[in-house]
């Protein structure tokens, strides 16, 4: 049976492992060991779960997390006549284990994230898709925007 829910502290080890799996390409090119990564990523996740600005949805099947989607609330500067707490959601770290892909799990997690975002007055959701994920996000109602600009350094 599939359960979609918010992550809690008991999920940290599984989420770290999935991030490690998700980052296979970067891992190949770097010297980070799993133990070192586990320490860094666990600290991030614990802080995130407690922060009130990060929310992590997971899909669980038979007590195993098989998919996740992270949402960070980005607070905006208030404007006269607008919401007293303007914010939008940044969607990131979306991953489904290969054996569970193409079964609608990602779409169901996205629906939970979207509904939560609407219920909690987020103005919109934003993400930077990989080229492989554009079709998934398009199917789930995201559209390309030409409004954002980026500046990179280093």
């Amino acid at each position: 049976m599939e359960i979609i829910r918010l992550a809690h502290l008991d999920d940290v080890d599984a989420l770290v492992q999935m991030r490690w799996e998700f980052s296979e390409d970067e891992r190949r090119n770097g010297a980070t060991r799993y133990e070192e990564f586990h320490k860094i990523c666990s600290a991030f996740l614990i802080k995130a779960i407690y922060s009130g600005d990060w929310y992590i949805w997971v899909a669980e099947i038979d007590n195993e997390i098989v998919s996740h989607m992270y949402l960070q609330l980005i607070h905006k500067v208030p404007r006269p006549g607008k919401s007293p707490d303007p914010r939008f959601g940044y969607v990131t770290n979306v991953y489904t284990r290969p054996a569970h892909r193409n079964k609608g799990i990602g779409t169901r997690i996205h629906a939970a994230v979207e509904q939560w975002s609407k219920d909690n007055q987020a103005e919109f959701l934003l993400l930077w898709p990989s080229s492989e994920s554009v079709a998934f996000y398009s199917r789930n109602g995201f559209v390309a925007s030409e409004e954002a600009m980026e500046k990179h350094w280093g």
Side-chain angles (χ1 to χ4, degrees), residues 30-90:
T32 304
R33 293 181 6 258
Y34 181 76
E35 295 76 17
E36 178 185 347
F37 177 74
H38 188 280
K39 182 179 177 181
I40 294 166
C41 194
S42 293
F44 170 85
L45 290 168
I46 291 166
K47 182 178 177 182
I49 289 170
Y50 279 121
S51 74
D53 286 331
W54 280 94
Y55 298 87
I56 304 166
W57 277 264
V58 298
E60 184 179 73
I61 297 176
D62 299 326
N63 296 314
E64 177 191 5
I65 296 174
V66 300
S67 184
H68 56 66
M69 183 176 286
Y70 289 45
L71 175 78
Q72 181 183 23
L73 289 180
I74 308 296
H75 298 270
K76 296 169 51 178
V77 177
R79 294 177 61 176
K82 300 286 185 174
S83 167
D85 184 18
R87 55 200 172 161
F88 65 91
Y90 168 58

Side-chain angles (χ1 to χ4, degrees), residues 19-31:
R19 182 66 176 167
W20 183 257
E21 293 168 14
F22 178 67
S23 303
E24 182 178 354
D25 290 338
E26 291 88 355
R27 226 178 44 237
R28 257 190 238 125
N29 298 326

